[in-house]
Amino acid sequence: MLRAGEVRGWWQFGYQLWQREAVSGSLRALLALGCVMALGGWTGRMSALLPALLGVIASALAETDDSWRGRLRVQGITLVCFGLMALAVQASLGHPVLLGVLLASAAIGLTFLGALGERYRTMAFATLVLAIYASLSSQPHAIQAVSLLWLGAAWYGVISVVWAAALPTPPVRQHLANLYESLGEYLRLKSGLLEPVRGADLEGRRVALALQNGRVVEALNRCKEALFSRSGAGTPPTWLQESLHAYLVAQDVHERTSSSHEHYEVLAQHFFHSDVLYRCQRLLALLGRDCRSVARRIRRQTPWKRHGTTAHAIEDLQEALRHLERQPGALDEGRARGLAALHGLAANLGALDRALSSALELPEPPSDTSLLDRDPRSLSEAWQRLKAQLDWRSPLLRHAVRLAVALTVGYGVMLSTGDSHGFWILLTIVFVCQPQYGATLTRLAQRVGGTVIGLVVGWALLKLFPDLLLQAGFTVAAGVLFFATRHTRYTLATAAITSLVLLSFNQAGDGFGLILPRLLDTVAGSVIAGLAVWLVLPSWQVHQLHRLAAQAASSQADYLREIMAQYQTGKRDHLPYRLARRNAHNADAALSRALAAMQLEPGHARRLAPQGMRFLVLSHTLLNYLSALGAHRNQRLSLPEEGAAAHAVQTLLSTLDAIAQALQAQPPQVVDETALAPGLVASLTQPAPEALRLLQAQLALCLRLLPALQAQAVALVAPPEAGAGMGEAGLRFERFR
């Protein structure tokens, strides 16, 4: 007999699994595939239902994270696209040239739909996959194959819509939990910067922090889209209001977490013999633990209790600061500057703790919870987005042309070899060919490795379990495994879908005869995709690095404008401010993703990787200083127009705008390294009213960073000679740290 505690533990474990989208998606696949296989066994026409099985898979690939109304709309559009594409392919099967033109045109047109948003990108990809499935499932009676494909897709669509209507909360809670877990990891990495030890690799830690910031931004964006898609007219349900509040708190936590109040080297220099930095480090680590605790509470739906150790750590930090103020030399210029920064850090961490404590409580009255709809709201806006991609520098256009060329070559190989299963070459190309070179090579290796594993497992299952009914059960299990792992473990997902192909085709004939063709076609398609991404309009990250850097500088200028407006009018977390903050972090994340992708590209395409990485570190540091300004905008200030603070703001805005304009120019221009006004930084460090001290201190930090940022912008356009080490830009960075 199980004890009550064990039963409760198993219940919580099962509930957490139920909340995960991978598990719920697998259950939907189990229901859809199981019903198709059961119908085939009941009617004795298992082989005839193979197109329906492929239709279920294609429809599941087109599924988007949306409300039931959104899924109903998307499924309706998807079924229309599926039907038209399947009919067009079946009508072209007897005309090789026409079919080749159709596939190439579909690759370009459907890939272009990705410019309209994530749901259109998913829909377009699934439609292209179904076009190839329609070729694989060709039968003497084309209408029968098309009908079964469409019915299979419609059946999964019905399950998806009903599931979303019956269980609307698990996907949103999963996104929220992932968001708070990402914030917890960001806080853990941030605590490493405050470790006062000699010889620490701070540059490496800054790079890791910038890359993790990109992951946090992605989690914020996914969570926002999940919330927006479920927000409709009228008063939202209580669970949605709570989720929206938790998301807005996470935005505030992210701003406070990404804040920096001083160069960490300066703090370590002045407080090396004190334990105050270790206390700050411990408090950051505890707050990271609290974020992960909130994530677990969201998944388990259990009451959350604030850890008492965090409150004690805040009190201990405040006591340590008071002790430092009483020590001799506390009023020295450098030490006073460090103490002021530590006071700002302590206040920020205290506010962060209070924000986390309120994350799971519904505020009264509710604040501005409006979200921006990034999808096109009219045909005119959609056309403008598509038109903007009609540029040979556009990565989307290059990927569309590259995919069309790869499919054409693959189709030519299929025709020249007379391979009756050659459409698997095209299917492999569609799955392997990615917009980025490194992502394509990674997917290529995973696809080939997974295919080999799947063929071995499929061969073993066919040998050990010759009963067709048992094989049908394994087919359903393989489909469930595919949908459970396709986003996280692609090698395993490929192995599962390969086994599914062998087992399902064995229902209609000899599955053993498909092993060698499947392997050869997968290798051929992977090689074609790899050569295409290397030779056909390659989208090397170096060609867009200057544009991403310009976007980062421009968005930070807009963020600073919104921050200063809040200091004039008072703190308000309204949509314009949150949008400016999110755009700044999105630009920072886009630059970090591009640099991460660049590390997987050939040597000649990585020539600006060191300059880009240093620009990222400097830009992210500047964003940290601006975030600190935003985190402390809780009081109104009146800045004299001729004062040092106003002059510093204008200098920052004009310099960031100049960097952005120079890097966005075609061709990019060398940034004018304008010198700072004499004495401007010094004037910001002079004694000032208490309300202005933190503002002026943060502006001084930003100004000290400008020369190095300008120098790195120059290096992106006119890089130094190879072998020059860090170069002048790096030396300037060292000087201003």
Side-chain angles (χ1 to χ4, degrees):
M1 293 291 292
L2 291 175
R3 300 188 185 92
E6 293 176 338
V7 172
R8 192 182 309 110
W10 280 106
W11 167 257
Q12 290 181 353
F13 177 73
Y15 185 79
Q16 289 182 63
L17 285 180
W18 177 262
Q19 294 288 311
R20 294 185 179 274
E21 179 58 25
V23 175
S24 60
S26 301
L27 292 176
R28 292 194 294 272
L30 174 63
L31 179 59
L33 295 173
C35 288
V36 171
M37 298 302 287
L39 179 62
W42 181 58
T43 59
R45 302 182 60 189
M46 190 76 74
S47 60
L49 288 178
L50 181 58
L53 201 69
L54 297 176
V56 167
I57 295 173
S59 182
L61 292 175
E63 189 176 43
T64 58
D65 180 20
D66 217 332
S67 65
W68 73 268
R69 293 182 182 86
R71 287 195 186 185
L72 181 61
R73 181 173 60 254
V74 170
Q75 285 293 332
I77 299 173
T78 302
L79 289 175
V80 172
C81 294
F82 276 11
L84 294 176
M85 182 60 69
L87 286 173
V89 169
Q90 288 290 338
S92 306
L93 282 177
H95 310 279
V97 176
L98 181 59
L99 181 56
V101 172
L102 175 64
L103 290 175
S105 302
I108 294 176
L110 292 173
T111 302
F112 251 70
L113 286 180
L116 302 182
E118 184 61 33
R119 58 167 56 92
Y120 297 97
R121 186 180 302 113
T122 303
M123 186 194 313
F125 171 77
T127 303
L128 192 56
V129 169
L130 184 127
I132 301 173
Y133 282 166
S135 305
L136 281 170
S137 61
S138 58
Q139 297 181 0
H141 304 289
I143 296 299
Q144 179 182 351
V146 171
S147 300
L148 288 173
L149 271 170
W150 193 89
L151 287 173
W155 167 234
Y156 185 86
V158 169
I159 293 175
S160 177
V161 172
V162 173
W163 194 286
L167 300 168
T169 60
V172 175
R173 287 174 178 160
Q174 179 67 19
H175 285 304
L176 275 174
N178 291 338
L179 172 56
Y180 276 92
E181 282 185 348
S182 298
L183 285 170
E185 178 64 13
Y186 188 85
L187 277 161
R188 187 190 69 81
L189 292 174
K190 189 71 176 282
S191 68
L193 293 178
L194 285 168
E195 189 175 18
V197 296
R198 295 186 177 95
D201 182 17
L202 290 180
E203 274 315 285
R205 295 180 185 183
R206 285 192 181 97
V207 171
L209 193 65
L211 295 177
Q212 178 62 24
N213 184 66
R215 300 183 189 102
V216 174
V217 171
E218 289 179 5
L220 280 165
N221 289 336
R222 286 194 294 268
C223 191
K224 176 258 177 185
E225 291 301 326
L227 288 166
F228 184 83
S229 64
R230 290 161 176 83
S231 301
T235 303
T238 302
W239 71 266
L240 187 57
Q241 295 181 45
E242 293 174 347
S243 299
L244 186 55
H245 172 65
Y247 165 74
L248 295 176
V249 169
Q251 281 193 323
D252 184 49
V253 169
H254 182 222
E255 182 175 57
R256 294 186 179 280
T257 303
S258 59
S259 300
S260 291
H261 296 77
E262 182 54 276
H263 292 303
Y264 299 109
E265 298 88 336
V266 173
L267 295 177
Q269 177 185 353
H270 289 293
F271 304 105
F272 185 81
H273 298 288
S274 169
D275 67 347
V276 67
L277 291 184
Y278 281 112
R279 293 189 182 278
C280 291
Q281 182 186 26
R282 178 171 180 266
L283 180 53
L284 277 168
L286 288 174
L287 289 169
R289 181 199 63 182
D290 289 347
C291 278
R292 292 188 290 272
S293 176
V294 170
R296 288 193 297 272
R297 184 271 177 214
I298 292 173
R299 284 201 173 98
R300 297 175 182 176
Q301 289 298 288
T302 55
W304 182 69
K305 295 182 180 179
R306 180 170 175 255
H307 289 282
T309 52
T310 305
H312 292 316
I314 293 175
E315 294 173 0
D316 292 344
L317 176 58
Q318 296 289 355
E319 180 60 32
L321 289 175
R322 286 192 290 268
H323 176 71
L324 284 174
E325 289 175 339
R326 292 192 297 266
Q327 289 183 346
L331 298 180
D332 294 346
E333 181 179 353
R335 197 171 178 84
R337 169 182 161 184
L339 275 173
L342 288 178
H343 276 294
L345 174 60
N348 187 42
L349 294 181
L352 198 158
D353 177 60
R354 291 191 295 274
L356 276 178
S357 301
S358 68
L360 303 178
E361 300 173 358
L362 192 62
E364 288 291 343
S367 57
D368 179 8
T369 59
S370 55
L371 300 174
L372 178 67
D373 184 7
R374 294 187 180 272
D375 285 341
R377 290 181 288 272
S378 65
L379 291 177
S380 175
E381 185 177 346
W383 168 244
Q384 291 301 320
R385 291 195 186 186
L386 294 175
K387 187 178 178 181
Q389 300 299 324
L390 296 176
D391 186 338
W392 286 112
R393 294 168 300 187
S394 166
L396 184 64
L397 175 62
R398 286 172 169 259
H399 176 58
V401 174
R402 189 185 309 126
L403 182 59
V405 171
L407 286 175
T408 302
V409 172
Y411 188 58
V413 171
M414 184 193 78
L415 293 179
S416 62
T417 58
D419 186 359
S420 59
H421 300 290
F423 285 102
W424 280 337
I425 299 176
L426 307 185
L427 195 63
T428 300
I429 290 172
V430 170
F431 277 98
V432 168
C433 196
Q434 302 293 307
Q436 297 174 345
Y437 175 86
T440 300
L441 291 190
T442 301
R443 183 61 62 88
L444 186 154
Q446 293 172 337
R447 186 79 180 181
V448 174
T451 299
V452 173
I453 295 172
L455 290 175
V456 172
V457 172
W459 173 84
L461 292 176
L462 291 176
K463 278 287 189 181
L464 295 174
F465 306 99
D467 183 71
L468 293 181
L469 184 60
L470 195 56
Q471 289 178 12
F474 286 127
T475 300
V476 174
V480 171
L481 182 61
F482 169 73
F483 286 106
T485 58
R486 64 191 178 104
H487 292 306
T488 54
R489 295 177 175 85
Y490 189 73
T491 301
L492 182 57
T494 302
I497 199 67
T498 301
S499 299
L500 182 149
V501 168
L502 288 186
L503 293 167
S504 59
F505 272 80
N506 194 61
Q507 301 288 329
D510 180 19
F512 293 100
L514 298 178
I515 294 178
L516 186 59
R518 176 74 175 189
L519 177 60
L520 295 178
D521 290 343
T522 298
V523 172
S526 298
V527 170
I528 292 172
L531 291 174
V533 78
W534 181 34
L535 300 175
V536 181
L537 298 176
S539 297
W540 307 126
Q541 300 300 318
V542 69
H543 297 315
Q544 61 172 343
L545 203 57
H546 63 279
R547 289 196 293 271
L548 294 175
Q551 188 178 10
S554 176
S555 62
Q556 289 187 24
D558 293 337
Y559 184 27
L560 178 58
R561 289 187 179 93
E562 284 294 331
I563 290 172
M564 298 314 299
Q566 297 261 316
Y567 274 101
Q568 300 289 332
T569 61
K571 180 178 179 179
R572 288 182 60 203
D573 279 329
H574 53 42
L575 181 59
Y577 177 81
R578 288 187 279 112
L579 181 59
R581 179 175 61 190
R582 184 59 42 227
N583 288 340
H585 282 283
N586 279 337
D588 183 80
L591 183 57
S592 68
R593 285 194 300 269
L595 289 166
M598 184 182 287
Q599 302 305 314
L600 301 176
E601 295 179 347
H604 72 275
R606 297 199 305 268
R607 62 184 184 275
L608 289 181
Q611 292 85 353
M613 195 61 73
R614 287 194 289 272
F615 186 94
L616 172 64
V617 170
L618 290 167
S619 175
H620 186 71
T621 303
L622 179 60
L623 182 57
N624 293 160
Y625 295 155
L626 296 180
S627 295
L629 279 174
H632 293 284
R633 66 189 197 285
N634 52 1
Q635 54 185 337
R636 297 181 63 176
L637 296 175
S638 179
L639 301 182
E641 293 185 4
E642 301 300 325
H647 190 189
V649 170
Q650 290 304 316
T651 301
L652 282 168
L653 291 175
S654 60
T655 305
L656 289 173
D657 287 337
I659 291 174
Q661 291 170 8
L663 293 177
Q664 284 175 338
Q666 297 299 330
Q669 301 172 0
V670 175
V671 181
D672 292 331
E673 297 187 60
T674 54
L676 297 179
L680 180 55
V681 174
S683 64
L684 290 171
T685 59
Q686 295 300 316
E690 185 176 355
L692 282 175
R693 286 176 191 170
L694 188 139
L695 173 65
Q696 294 192 168
Q698 292 302 125
L699 291 175
L701 288 172
C702 295
L703 289 177
R704 290 189 183 99
L705 204 63
L706 276 187
L709 188 66
Q710 287 178 303
Q712 282 307 128
V714 172
L716 287 177
V717 179
E721 295 295 329
M726 285 189 67
E728 182 183 0
L731 293 176
R732 293 186 183 190
F733 181 34
E734 293 294 330
R735 187 188 314 152
F736 281 93
R737 283 202 298 190

